[in-house]
Amino acid sequence: MKFKEKYLHSLRYKPGEGCWPSPNLLAMENKNNLETVPAQYIGSEMDVIEHRNCSTPAEAIKVFERACTRLLSVNEWGHYPGISAFQLIDPQGIRAERQARLNDYIRIDIPGPGTQAGMGYDWVQIEEITTETDGKKQVLSMRVRPCAHPLSQKKETAHFLKSEATSSFIITQTGLHVSAEEHARNEVPNTDNGSLYDKGRNFMVGMAAKLGFSYPQWKGLVKALLQD
């Protein structure tokens, strides 16, 4: 698959554009955002959305740009209440103290025992970062997928979900409205790879996610992205 990384551009407003979108427009925007999310074809799915209404176009731009910075500042996610510890790792397997980039890895420290395949952690890779600016709205999206430990020779998926699963994070600004979203698709416990211990552990954690125990974490993240 060929991936593209575009760069974020500021949206300049014209008089009269800074209005609160109607419920129908918001529903349309959410539907349009879902067009960038992989299709659901197996396992479970989850959609977590947070909205914020701003008073002025300048405030909306500020909230949007700050949310984008926070989304790409993966190492800071664990500082928000109820969020696991996340560490950005570059494509060479080295800790990265910067904003996320295409093909980076994210090391996840979930409470409790980690995977042997992941050397104690769960791992995902950033497979897409895109932006869109069309004069009426601006969007930043980032998609990650379970993967092997970047330094492993076995290339076994080191995550409690199979590699078919994805998480798509989307920040959108339309007029005075800003939203932050997380969309999980095709979540199936990873019981095919790794040791017997990993299979059992992944089944338990994967089923917990399927039952909705991961919802509070992602809800806490999308709320934090939009807060002052």
Side-chain angles (χ1 to χ4, degrees):
M1 184 180 295
K2 183 178 180 181
F3 302 117
K4 297 180 180 178
E5 183 171 10
K6 304 177 183 177
Y7 294 91
L8 188 63
H9 301 283
S10 295
L11 174 62
R12 288 182 169 81
Y13 284 83
K14 298 178 182 179
E17 288 186 343
C19 57
W20 171 248
S22 67
N24 288 339
L25 179 57
L26 293 182
M28 184 180 300
E29 291 297 338
N30 289 337
K31 181 178 179 180
N32 290 339
N33 287 343
L34 290 177
E35 292 178 357
T36 67
V37 175
Q40 171 67 22
Y41 61 89
I42 192 173
S44 59
E45 62 180 322
M46 180 174 61
D47 299 296
V48 186
I49 304 174
E50 186 72 12
H51 301 281
R52 176 166 174 174
N53 183 22
C54 300
S55 301
T56 66
E59 180 189 3
I61 292 173
K62 180 179 179 180
V63 171
F64 173 78
E65 293 182 345
R66 182 175 59 207
C68 291
T69 298
R70 289 175 176 174
L71 176 62
L72 297 177
S73 300
V74 174
N75 295 341
E76 304 299 318
W77 291 4
H79 296 165
Y80 304 131
I83 308 297
S84 301
F86 294 80
Q87 174 63 51
L88 194 67
I89 306 292
D90 72 15
Q92 287 70 48
I94 301 172
R95 290 166 62 104
E97 303 300 328
R98 54 166 172 73
Q99 290 193 340
R101 299 174 185 171
L102 188 66
N103 295 325
D104 279 344
Y105 295 91
I106 300 176
R107 189 187 71 189
I108 310 169
D109 188 2
I110 297 176
T115 65
Q116 294 176 351
M119 301 181 188
Y121 301 97
D122 291 83
W123 294 82
V124 297
Q125 188 171 27
I126 300 173
E127 66 176 22
E128 184 173 275
I129 298 177
T130 62
T131 65
E132 174 190 348
T133 301
D134 65 5
K136 294 183 180 180
K137 71 173 182 178
Q138 51 184 353
V139 182
L140 169 69
S141 64
M142 179 173 73
R143 186 168 71 234
V144 303
R145 184 183 298 273
C147 65
H149 188 291
L151 301 180
S152 173
Q153 299 297 319
K154 294 183 179 180
K155 301 305 178 183
E156 294 178 340
T157 300
H159 193 279
F160 63 86
L161 297 175
K162 293 184 178 181
S163 59
E164 288 84 355
T166 60
S167 287
S168 300
F169 304 89
I170 305 173
I171 310 295
T172 306
Q173 178 196 355
T174 305
L176 300 182
H177 176 256
V178 185
S179 65
E181 309 173 27
E182 190 274 338
H183 301 282
R185 294 291 183 269
N186 305 306
E187 295 189 329
V188 177
N190 179 21
T191 57
D192 293 341
N193 297 322
S195 64
L196 182 62
Y197 165 83
D198 278 0
K199 292 177 181 179
R201 180 262 186 189
N202 291 343
F203 175 79
M204 296 299 294
V205 179
M207 289 304 296
K210 185 174 182 178
L211 292 173
F213 286 95
S214 62
Y215 181 90
Q217 171 171 262
W218 296 129
K219 186 65 174 179
L221 177 62
V222 296
K223 289 184 65 175
L225 295 178
L226 298 183
Q227 290 175 347
D228 290 331

